[in-house]
Amino acid sequence: MNIQGASRSGAVAIVGRPNVGKSTLVNALVGAKVSIVSNRPQTTRHRLLGIATFPGGQLQLVDTPGIHRGQRSQSATAMHRMMNRAARGALEGVDAAVLVVEAGRWDEEDTLAYEALRDAKVPVVLVVNQVDRIRDKAALLPYLQKATEGREFAGVHPVSALKRTGLDALVAELLALVPEGPPAFDEDEITDKSQRFLAAELLREQLMRQLGAELPYSTTVEIESFTEDVSKSGPLLRIGAVVWVERDGQKAIVIGKGGLRLREIGSKARLSMERLFGCKVFLETFVRVRAGWSDDEAALRSFGYDQ
């Protein structure tokens, strides 16, 4: 993208209900994969900063878990409380916010997200995502009128984050909403998270994608070891990871017959790591059981969910 103008820099929260494409939007604006994506709701569990630098300035994009009402499973109340706190806490100190909704749909969780933004008293831009899925474009106008009626937005942008369409105008609007000033990060920085954190997320992404509806919220990943070897052929990252589940039966599902599923998950995660880190990766993955971890705030903190 080639967005011109005075140099500006500021923080923008990306907010919305689960599974509307917030992380896909952040990745598209950053131009690199900093936030994992899957078709499962609540894939994003942490506050994550994506750094998007343009000729006209820099946007520090705060990707957040989806704001939702109530709990989505009986075994994850503590996790969902933490995710809601992370989403609402991300609004503190930002210069603007983006409310992401799905084209053609507005439900009570979209309203909940809008109300959280209204209470934060920052300019809010409405991003209507997935417009490429709307075959009858004429139907979009009445939807936009209904979505904006009685609600105050600094701007409205129909986009497709997946196909990266409509983003130039969105970036120009967001840059106009943040203060003038130098960038907060170097041009080549894309996130505030460590490689260790990103490695855990890329492995968890494959768990979310490949386990489907079997146990999407009963797994988490902990990186036990992360070292770099240097040789004539270049750097090699050696990563030891633990996939935590809550029951022995879940452990068997993750491992699969003869270890086949775990090998497939690990192989795809390793390739994603190599693409992101730009070097070879040796990934060793284990599966362990910790009963009730997703409803235990002490366990969640030990896995980094309060960060």
Side-chain angles (χ1 to χ4, degrees):
M1 296 178 197
N2 187 23
I3 309 297
Q4 299 294 339
S7 180
R8 292 177 175 272
S9 177
V12 178
I14 311 296
V15 177
R17 63 172 171 80
N19 217 28
V20 291
K22 298 182 298 297
S23 297
T24 302
L25 178 63
V26 168
N27 290 340
L29 294 175
V30 171
K33 185 171 185 172
V34 295
S35 194
I36 65 171
V37 294
S38 82
N39 61 3
R40 307 303 305 174
Q42 298 291 5
T43 298
T44 299
R45 293 179 179 172
H46 303 264
R47 172 197 169 279
L48 184 143
L49 193 69
I51 303 161
T53 303
F54 308 96
Q58 186 180 87
L59 299 172
Q60 296 99 49
L61 304 166
V62 186
D63 191 12
T64 62
I67 291 179
H68 59 283
R69 193 185 303 276
Q71 61 192 59
R72 291 186 171 267
S73 74
Q74 291 299 316
S75 64
T77 56
M79 178 185 290
H80 286 138
R81 286 197 300 271
M82 279 196 170
M83 288 193 292
N84 265 339
R85 287 201 299 268
R88 293 176 182 276
L91 300 177
E92 298 176 5
V94 300
D95 301 294
V98 168
L99 173 61
V100 184
V101 298
E102 179 185 339
R105 176 180 173 183
W106 186 291
D107 62 22
E108 65 173 12
E109 290 186 333
D110 295 305
T111 299
L112 185 68
Y114 172 77
E115 290 172 350
L117 292 174
R118 183 188 58 192
D119 294 343
K121 301 188 186 323
V122 295
V124 179
V125 173
L126 177 65
V127 167
V128 181
N129 192 25
Q130 302 176 16
V131 294
D132 53 303
R133 296 184 179 181
I134 303 296
R135 292 185 177 181
D136 181 10
K137 301 304 181 188
L140 198 56
L141 184 58
Y143 167 77
L144 293 175
Q145 291 173 336
K146 184 177 180 181
T148 56
E149 185 178 0
R151 302 183 180 100
E152 186 176 346
F153 294 108
V156 179
H157 293 268
V159 310
S160 170
L162 185 63
K163 296 189 175 181
R164 304 193 178 196
T165 58
L167 300 185
D168 284 356
L170 172 61
V171 170
E173 175 116 52
L174 293 176
L175 285 173
L177 292 175
V178 302
E180 292 189 11
F185 296 88
D186 291 339
E187 186 175 350
D188 59 352
E189 292 184 83
I190 58 173
T191 184
D192 63 338
K193 294 297 187 182
S194 66
Q195 287 185 323
R196 191 184 190 106
F197 173 89
L198 294 171
E201 286 289 274
L202 290 172
L203 179 53
R204 190 168 63 80
E205 177 182 51
Q206 291 305 319
L207 289 165
M208 297 288 285
R209 287 186 172 190
Q210 297 195 44
L211 294 175
E214 290 181 88
L215 42 135
Y217 309 113
S218 298
T219 61
T220 195
V221 174
E222 182 180 24
I223 302 299
E224 282 196 324
S225 61
F226 192 103
T227 59
E228 181 177 353
D229 293 341
V230 180
S231 65
K232 292 181 180 180
S233 58
L236 169 68
L237 292 177
R238 296 185 180 274
I239 301 172
V242 176
V243 176
W244 289 99
V245 296
E246 296 187 304
R247 297 189 297 274
D248 287 330
Q250 295 170 345
K251 179 177 180 179
I253 291 173
V254 174
I255 293 173
K257 187 176 181 180
L260 185 61
R261 174 173 268 174
L262 183 60
R263 285 198 297 272
E264 180 73 7
I265 289 170
S267 176
K268 291 189 174 181
R270 177 182 57 79
L271 291 174
S272 294
M273 293 175 196
E274 290 180 342
R275 283 193 294 268
L276 182 61
F277 301 149
C279 66
K280 290 292 184 182
V281 171
F282 175 79
L283 175 64
E284 194 171 20
T285 306
F286 306 92
V287 184
R288 296 175 187 159
V289 177
R290 182 166 178 171
W293 69 263
S294 65
D295 198 21
D296 181 342
E297 294 215 6
L300 289 168
R301 283 192 295 272
S302 74
F303 292 142
Y305 283 96
D306 61 338
Q307 297 177 6

